[in-house]
Amino acid sequence: MPDVRALLRSSLVWPVVALLALVVLNVVVNPGFLSVRLQDGRLYGSVIDILRNGAPVLLVALGMTLVIATRGIDLSVGAIAAISGAVACVQIAGSNQESAAGTAIVAMTTALAVAVLLGLWNGFLVSVLGIQPIIATLVLMTAGRGLAMLVTDGQITTVTNPTFKLVGAGFFLAVPVAVLVALVVFGATALLTRRTALGMLIEAVGINPEASRLAGVRSRTIIWTVYVFAAFCAGVAGLMIASNTSAADANNAGLWIELDAILAVVIGGTSLAGGRFSLAGTFVGALFIQTLATTIPSIGIPAETNYLFKAVAVIAVCLLQSPQVRSALAARRTTPSRAKAGAPA
Amino acid sequence: MSAGTAAARAETPAARPAPPADSAAGPVVELSGIEIGFPGVKALDGVGLRLMPGEVHALMGENGAGKSTLIKALTGVYAIDAGSIRVDGQEHRFSGPAESQAAGISTVYQEVNLCTNLTVAENMLLGREPRRFGRIHTRAMNRRAAEVLARLGLDVDPTSTLGSHPIAVQQLVAIARAVDVDAKVLVLDEPTSSLDTDEVRVLFDVVRSLRDQGVAVLFVSHFLDQVFELSDRMTVLRNGRFVAEHRTAEITQLELVQEMIGRELEVLERLDRQPADPAAPAAEPVLKVVGLGRSGELEATDLALHEGEVVGVAGLLGSGRTELARLLVGADVADRGEVQVRGRTRPWRSPRQAIDAGVAFSSEDRRAEGVVGDLTVADNMILALQATRGWLRPVPQRTKDELVRRYIEALDIRPADPNALMRNLSGGNQQKVLLARWLITEPRLLVLDEPTRGIDVGAKAQIQQLVAELAADGMAVVFISAELEEVLRLADRVVVMRDRRKVAEQVNDGLEVSDVLRTIAGAGESAVALEVVPDSEEAPRA
Ligand SMILES: Nc1ncnc2c1ncn2[C@@H]1O[C@H](COP(=O)(O)OP(=O)(O)OP(=O)(O)O)[C@@H](O)[C@H]1O
Ligand SMILES: [Mg+2]
């Protein structure tokens, strides 16, 4: 059965299995889980909700995937999402044509520009100054919410702008706009990394930075770019979150989204040690995280233990992916000790 | 991948090694019928091996024959699919290196895998640090390490970080670590690949004294002279199969090579290099460095590299030959002197600037500075080319396939699978892929630091041939090797390094190894060195 073996070895199989298991669990608890209905030209249903609420996590996780592939990490994405939402809302609220489409477009462009600037900052710290990514982005993770507070003046800024509302809560051809946006960014990222040489170069830098440097890879530019991209994705996610609630909440918008994103990436099979990355894996991982978040209350687990449950589920998926466990499951030839960073001889 | 006629021979009952006639005691290690398969490759197929106490046993075979895999079976890194491993007559199923260590097997793997950010002493005693009051007794540890290093004749500060030393010293530290444990069996996978004659001498002395104490030594090397000098018996593998077992005294080098490659070795015609005409009106050199240096690593050095010329660099370990190479290619940044490309001074602060100027560099440290393990062979090969094109212009799939196929064929890389993961290739085959990476960029100047490290006899001649051809086509080549014969065979000019400076530059009109050795040692320098380079006083100071 060579095919089954090959399948078991593929990195995507366990995340998909885990996701399916969650879906089955949900269907058992709630037989209507998978049903989708069309009403007023819009799709409704639990699955649609999961997709729509999962869009920001997916976006952030996409950027995070590339960052992690270069051996980095970006803890500041949640704060950037909050800043982006704050900038957009404050601008819309402060405009004298608060509900005009133009206002929304200008505001969102400004917000994304700010996000890109913040990404440039992160990238500068990491690639030029050589600061450890976890420390470099911790700066903005902690300071960023303060910045967002400054922007909103410490208030929850609410806005009424139909165009802005579309991004997070609107529908296009019956599908939530947020889902479409996330899919477009996903597709564009996939094209950009796999149809150009970007993906390969990112992986090379993540696997062996020194060999890549000697081979002439401009690793500084590449690393800088992925942080900018991650910040851009976080900016878009921040717009979605703010748009969905028509408000900018500097304290709570995108709170802990960086952790969800990192989990999604890891569940999707991209190693935190950098190197080979899988966008498809991240996609499945993000869906898993979001489905889990909706499953927990629906099967009657008290909200207080939410995080505990999540942790258990995540550990289970990660275990399934660990080479040791998988070799035991699939009866592979190598003993665990062959791990890449094996102990010295 | 052709098994050929000899494979048929390997399938006969002779596949079981006959016990050596002169063994009084039984073998300390007995492997029989070992099979290991990886997805798509049968790396070992019914291989046997017997190690007697108090012998040095060479394991011979081409690149990819399965030597390292067999060693990893013995040391528990790989689980075996079939066969048996007996140590002291007792059957073992190792499920990890720790167990094989506990059974008395001490190993130095082909790729140095120590922790470069720990000190030399910490690396040597990792896992068995001397303790006092439950805490690591650092002073005792350093003292112990210093003793062992002294025994190996190594002048290395035990408290320095391992990563600050060249790969050869790291290799010696790995060996020191292995010989420091009381082992019944010592396994050395290409321990001498980056060592100079002197270090090899010292290592061999240590190995011999261990052997005389009754230790069984298993030894892999592509240097036939060393094998014949050191070993008592040998086992030959080909394509993952057992071919033969011999007493070293009863076989000639030629016969051995035939067994390894499974056919008659074509007589390797002596490389008849037409030396680049030194009298030719000096055209603009491809690359010229004036007073290039870096404090603590290389004193100010002048060197001009011309089209079609092979410049050999000779010198002992730590003489500055690698440092020179790294400054030439922008891998390190010089703090004095300048670099001229075709007469124009150029900024030279990164490998990328050098690559853009047509300079390619194959590093001596294949694992840390060359191999991108989790990418495929194809991606590894085109990495440098892709980098120069930038990410927006991927090498078209057809060009890529074509280039990769051409070089896999030209360098006889096995497995001949462009999609194999680089880290699954044998050491010698990885080295070939890295060579291909640079040849694909069609450089004007090719700087090769130990390009034939870990490459088998046949392939080595092939690579030397290739270098000669490239030079004939107008490429400038800098060829650095610890093996002087190889340098002299190829070079038109030889640069001799000592104490981190260039001490001589000699035209190779029939230079002998002994001539160069004398210059390296510094004896009769004035008599031998044709052009002693002015001392660094003249060089511009930073
Ligand atoms: N982890 C692995 N996965 C897949 N194939 C492997 C793996 N390790 C080794 N191989 C294959 O097994 C064969 C034997 O490799 P091995 O490293 O034992 O060769 P070797 O005799 O040590 O060669 P060299 O002289 O080049 O070091 C090669 O074809 C190699 O590609
Ligand atoms: Mg090997």
Side-chain angles (χ1 to χ4, degrees):
Chain A
M1 312 191 297
D3 291 341
V4 176
R5 279 268 203 101
L7 196 65
L8 286 179
R9 226 178 278 121
S10 126
S11 57
L12 212 52
V13 63
W14 291 113
V16 169
V17 167
L19 181 59
L20 288 180
L22 262 188
V23 170
V24 168
L25 178 68
N26 271 293
V27 172
V28 169
V29 175
N30 165 16
F33 179 73
L34 286 176
S35 71
V36 172
R37 67 206 145 77
L38 192 65
Q39 191 181 324
D40 309 334
R42 296 173 177 191
L43 291 172
Y44 285 101
S46 313
V47 178
I48 302 295
D49 283 345
I50 289 175
L51 286 176
R52 191 166 62 123
N53 297 330
V57 174
L58 174 59
L59 276 174
V60 172
L62 281 178
M64 192 68 79
T65 308
L66 300 190
V67 169
I68 286 177
T70 64
R71 291 192 176 182
I73 194 131
D74 190 344
L75 297 181
S76 69
V77 281
I80 292 178
I83 294 174
S84 157
V87 168
C89 287
V90 166
Q91 247 198 13
I92 294 174
S95 157
N96 43 19
Q97 292 170 293
E98 200 187 322
S99 53
T103 312
I105 288 168
V106 170
M108 289 193 286
T109 313
T110 317
L112 291 181
V114 170
V116 165
L117 270 179
L118 295 172
L120 282 170
W121 164 255
N122 279 337
F124 174 77
L125 293 185
V126 174
S127 70
V128 181
L129 299 189
I131 299 176
Q132 297 252 347
I134 195 165
I135 303 299
T137 56
L138 197 60
V139 173
L140 205 53
M141 179 188 182
T142 46
R145 296 220 172 252
L147 271 179
M149 289 287 249
L150 275 182
V151 174
T152 58
D153 235 353
Q155 311 291 319
I156 292 183
T157 311
T158 49
V159 294
T160 41
N161 182 309
T163 313
F164 185 59
K165 184 85 186 160
L166 265 183
V167 178
F171 286 78
F172 179 71
L173 297 177
V175 184
V177 173
V179 174
L180 291 176
V181 170
L183 287 179
V184 166
V185 176
F186 175 80
T189 314
L191 279 183
L192 205 65
T193 50
R194 294 306 181 193
R195 281 300 159 87
T196 70
L198 186 61
M200 193 263 271
L201 294 178
I202 287 176
E203 289 178 338
V205 168
I207 297 165
N208 191 338
E210 183 58 12
S212 307
R213 184 183 81 96
L214 289 176
V217 179
R218 292 193 197 279
S219 33
R220 178 178 291 183
T221 318
I222 285 180
I223 291 177
W224 207 333
T225 310
V226 296
Y227 281 92
V228 172
F229 179 70
F232 174 81
C233 289
V236 178
L239 291 180
M240 279 180 187
I241 296 167
S243 151
N244 198 22
T245 55
S246 286
D249 179 348
N251 281 321
N252 296 311
L255 193 62
W256 306 131
I257 201 171
E258 57 276 345
L259 299 188
D260 280 348
I262 293 168
L263 286 177
V265 174
V266 172
I267 289 173
T270 300
S271 158
L272 281 177
R276 298 301 284 253
F277 65 88
S278 162
L279 292 175
T282 297
F283 188 88
V284 177
L287 285 184
F288 177 83
I289 293 281
Q290 192 60 39
T291 311
L292 189 63
T294 50
T295 307
I296 293 169
S298 75
I299 59 176
I301 292 176
E304 305 85 71
T305 55
N306 184 331
Y307 286 109
L308 184 65
F309 190 77
K310 204 167 178 178
V312 170
V314 166
I315 288 172
V317 176
C318 292
L319 271 183
L320 282 177
Q321 286 183 53
S322 94
Q324 278 89 337
V325 176
R326 282 172 66 189
S327 67
L329 284 174
R332 285 185 51 190
R333 4 218 44 76
T334 47
T335 51
S337 50
R338 199 175 55 123
K340 242 190 295 175
Chain B
M1 304 240 80
S2 69
T5 53
R9 232 198 307 161
E11 275 153 13
T12 64
R16 286 189 64 84
D22 55 348
S23 66
V28 55
V29 169
E30 184 171 13
L31 305 178
S32 57
I34 303 287
E35 289 184 23
I36 290 188
F38 297 108
V41 201
K42 187 109 190 176
L44 292 177
D45 191 0
V47 174
L49 175 78
R50 289 163 184 238
L51 281 180
M52 298 297 156
E55 75 163 348
V56 177
H57 194 110
L59 184 56
M60 304 300 298
E62 288 182 284
N63 292 136
K67 305 179 293 297
S68 298
T69 308
L70 185 63
I71 285 173
K72 287 177 181 165
L74 171 61
T75 61
V77 175
Y78 293 154
I80 53 176
D81 296 341
S84 78
I85 300 176
R86 285 169 182 280
V87 180
D88 278 337
Q90 211 185 332
E91 176 113 22
H92 279 271
R93 279 249 155 195
F94 298 130
S95 64
E99 289 179 25
S100 108
Q101 258 168 47
I105 300 172
S106 179
T107 316
V108 179
Y109 294 100
Q110 183 169 8
E111 308 293 343
V112 177
N113 53 351
L114 299 178
C115 310
T116 45
N117 53 353
L118 296 183
T119 69
V120 169
E122 283 164 343
N123 268 297
M124 286 176 57
L125 292 155
L126 197 68
R128 49 198 176 85
E129 301 89 349
R131 287 174 186 270
R132 194 168 59 169
F133 312 129
R135 304 197 357 209
I136 292 177
H137 188 4
T138 311
R139 225 162 353 111
M141 182 168 71
N142 289 337
R143 208 175 325 120
R144 174 102 191 96
E147 279 166 27
V148 182
L149 290 170
R151 182 163 147 226
L152 280 171
L154 255 179
D155 180 23
V156 176
D157 177 3
T159 62
S160 55
T161 33
L162 185 73
S164 66
H165 296 291
I167 188 74
V169 172
Q170 297 185 19
Q171 198 171 39
L172 284 164
V173 170
I175 293 168
R177 178 186 162 82
V179 301
D180 184 37
V181 289
D182 284 323
K184 283 184 292 214
V185 180
L186 176 63
V187 182
L188 303 168
D189 195 352
E190 301 199 25
T192 58
S193 60
S194 54
L195 304 188
D196 286 328
T197 355
D198 285 350
E199 286 94 274
V200 172
R201 280 273 84 68
V202 176
L203 173 65
F204 281 12
D205 287 344
V206 172
V207 167
R208 285 195 188 99
S209 83
L210 287 173
R211 175 190 64 190
D212 295 344
Q213 292 160 28
V215 176
V217 182
L218 182 62
F219 171 76
V220 179
S221 173
H222 289 294
F223 297 105
L224 295 187
D225 291 342
Q226 292 180 1
V227 168
F228 276 82
E229 180 189 335
L230 189 67
S231 70
D232 304 306
R233 288 193 310 129
M234 56 178 67
T235 294
V236 184
L237 304 183
R238 183 171 65 247
N239 286 332
R241 306 212 175 163
F242 174 86
V243 176
E245 188 191 68
H246 298 285
R247 310 259 309 268
T248 306
E250 290 165 359
I251 186 173
T252 65
Q253 290 207 6
L254 201 64
E255 286 163 352
L256 173 63
V257 171
Q258 278 177 19
E259 283 194 353
M260 280 164 57
I261 64 178
R263 58 188 149 80
E264 304 260 319
L265 184 69
E266 304 103 62
V267 183
L268 294 164
E269 69 271 34
R270 242 195 87 76
L271 282 177
D272 264 332
R273 291 224 49 228
Q274 212 51 258
D277 189 357
E284 204 74 82
V286 176
L287 188 86
K288 183 176 173 191
V289 300
V290 184
L292 193 74
R294 183 176 157 96
S295 60
E297 297 193 354
L298 187 72
E299 288 186 23
T301 303
D302 297 337
L303 189 62
L305 304 162
H306 295 272
E307 243 173 42
E309 193 188 28
V310 180
V311 174
V313 179
L316 297 178
L317 184 62
S319 61
R321 44 177 211 226
T322 290
E323 288 77 359
L324 173 63
R326 292 183 64 89
L327 289 178
L328 278 180
V329 301
D332 290 332
V333 180
D335 56 12
R336 67 199 62 164
E338 64 175 33
V339 175
Q340 295 166 6
V341 178
R342 297 200 181 270
R344 290 257 209 77
T345 302
R346 291 270 207 129
W348 211 250
R349 309 191 64 79
S350 72
R352 183 51 190 273
Q353 281 169 339
I355 292 167
D356 286 343
V359 177
F361 169 54
S362 166
S363 159
E364 61 163 355
D365 192 347
R366 153 170 91 217
R367 194 168 95 115
E369 299 184 346
V371 167
V372 184
D374 282 343
L375 290 187
T376 61
V377 166
D379 282 344
N380 267 279
M381 272 196 197
I382 61 145
L383 184 61
L385 177 64
Q386 184 60 65
T388 52
R389 291 171 63 98
W391 63 270
L392 264 177
R393 292 195 305 140
V395 178
Q397 193 61 39
R398 201 130 46 83
T399 320
K400 181 171 163 181
D401 292 345
E402 156 65 24
L403 280 172
V404 171
R405 196 161 32 87
R406 178 160 12 121
Y407 280 94
I408 284 183
E409 206 168 293
L411 299 175
D412 191 18
I413 291 167
R414 300 180 211 180
D417 174 9
N419 297 317
L421 282 190
M422 184 72 164
R423 72 176 136 89
N424 291 343
L425 259 60
S426 80
N429 284 300
Q430 288 180 349
Q431 184 68 37
K432 293 182 189 176
V433 172
L434 296 181
L435 268 179
R437 174 188 295 173
W438 293 111
L439 296 180
I440 283 176
T441 64
E442 300 181 348
R444 281 201 288 272
L445 168 65
L446 180 60
V447 179
L448 300 171
D449 196 358
E450 303 281 359
T452 58
R453 151 169 313 157
I455 285 196
D456 65 42
V457 256
K460 191 177 264 187
Q462 208 180 329
I463 284 173
Q464 291 167 2
Q465 183 72 43
L466 185 74
V467 169
E469 280 167 23
L470 291 169
D473 289 346
M475 197 182 288
V477 180
V478 173
F479 193 95
I480 304 176
S481 172
E483 232 184 311
L484 278 182
E485 293 81 2
E486 190 178 43
V487 173
L488 289 181
R489 183 152 348 128
L490 281 168
D492 301 310
R493 257 187 310 152
V494 179
V495 167
V496 180
M497 308 291 298
R498 184 186 343 121
D499 294 336
R500 306 191 174 273
R501 69 195 182 90
K502 174 173 129 181
V503 290
E505 192 171 321
Q506 301 168 285
V507 174
N508 183 10
D509 44 9
L511 279 177
E512 296 289 332
V513 170
S514 56
D515 299 336
V516 180
L517 275 178
R518 225 173 311 134
T519 319
I520 287 178
E525 181 176 314
S526 50
V528 180
L530 303 181
E531 309 160 39
V532 176
V533 173
D535 260 83
S536 49
E537 271 97 84
E538 282 180 17
R541 291 275 166 197

